[in-house]
Amino acid sequence: MYSAVMSTPKTTPERLVEATRELLWERGYVGTSPKAVQQAAGAGQGSMYHHFAGKQELALAAIRRTAEEMGAAAEAVLGGEGSAYARIEAYLLREREVLRGCPVGRLTMDPEVIADPELRAPVEEVLGRLRGRLAGVVQEGLDSGELRGSLDPEEIAAAVLATVQGGYVLARATGSRAPFDSAVRGLLSLLTAG
């Protein structure tokens, strides 16, 4: 499936950011060398440093883009049509590269990203917005009577995020998406229990 965006040649800065995003997801910050970025992007050293002051600035642009895409993908489902439960279910069941893990969650395990407040900020922001959005959907379900009244929206939102992120870890550890799917099914059954 090709789109007009995919067929449009990317500028050098866009190629550098995309290459950095992929390398951060695969290798983490330390493993993402400027040389590896240049090779993956098909860009020269001079070109890279013409557009970005250095690795940290390029990584920040890549992390911001990854966070924006994660937020947009979640909002597309959580802000869509359907009941509160159906939207949470759609979020949990949406297509993911489970065995690769979450590109944002991966950053939380990177000591260099977590130690740098500027690199960490977009990660914190997107996870906070997602938690808030999920809590809002749960509150909608409580207000409509669809979800049982004893649920705490903030706690359920945290449980949804923990299930997804923990599911990625379990799937990667076993080399199978089965633990992820099992965790999602378990959480969904808890939401409908009453």
Side-chain angles (χ1 to χ4, degrees), residues 84-104:
Y85 176 85
R87 288 181 285 151
I88 293 169
E89 178 183 46
Y91 171 74
L92 288 167
L93 296 176
R94 76 178 178 81
E95 189 63 35
R96 292 178 163 85
E97 292 185 64
V98 172
L99 294 178
R100 282 190 80 190
C102 175
V104 171

Side-chain angles (χ1 to χ4, degrees), residues 65-74 91 102 104 126-127 130 165:
R65 175 137 347 132
T66 297
E68 287 167 10
E69 285 188 9
M70 178 184 175
Y91 171 74
C102 175
V104 171
V126 73
L127 291 175
L130 180 54
Q165 293 302 319

Side-chain angles (χ1 to χ4, degrees), residues 15-159:
R15 289 193 328 268
L16 289 164
V17 169
E18 289 303 312
T20 302
R21 289 177 63 202
E22 280 297 313
L23 290 167
L24 286 171
W25 195 2
E26 279 177 29
R27 304 178 182 183
Y29 187 79
V30 169
T32 301
S33 70
K35 184 175 183 175
V37 170
Q38 292 159 24
Q39 288 175 340
Q45 181 177 358
S47 179
M48 179 176 155
Y49 290 106
H50 171 74
H51 296 290
F52 298 95
K55 178 180 172 177
Q56 197 263 1
E57 184 179 305
L58 179 55
L60 181 59
I63 292 168
R64 283 182 177 148
R65 175 137 347 132
T66 297
E68 287 167 10
E69 285 188 9
M70 178 184 175
E75 182 56 35
V77 176
L78 295 172
E81 298 294 317
S83 68
Y85 176 85
R87 288 181 285 151
I88 293 169
E89 178 183 46
Y91 171 74
L92 288 167
L93 296 176
R94 76 178 178 81
E95 189 63 35
R96 292 178 163 85
E97 292 185 64
V98 172
L99 294 178
R100 282 190 80 190
C102 175
V104 171
R106 166 75 169 91
L107 295 168
T108 67
M109 295 180 267
D110 193 313
E112 288 76 18
V113 171
I114 295 304
D116 184 324
E118 197 171 3
L119 293 176
R120 188 180 65 241
V123 174
E124 284 181 287
E125 289 167 15
V126 73
L127 291 175
R129 279 195 317 271
L130 180 54
R131 193 172 50 251
R133 186 64 172 112
L134 284 162
V137 173
V138 172
Q139 187 62 58
E140 288 174 36
L142 290 170
D143 292 346
S144 71
E146 173 195 354
L147 299 175
R148 58 188 163 93
S150 64
L151 297 177
D152 179 287
E154 293 295 328
E155 289 178 359
I156 296 303

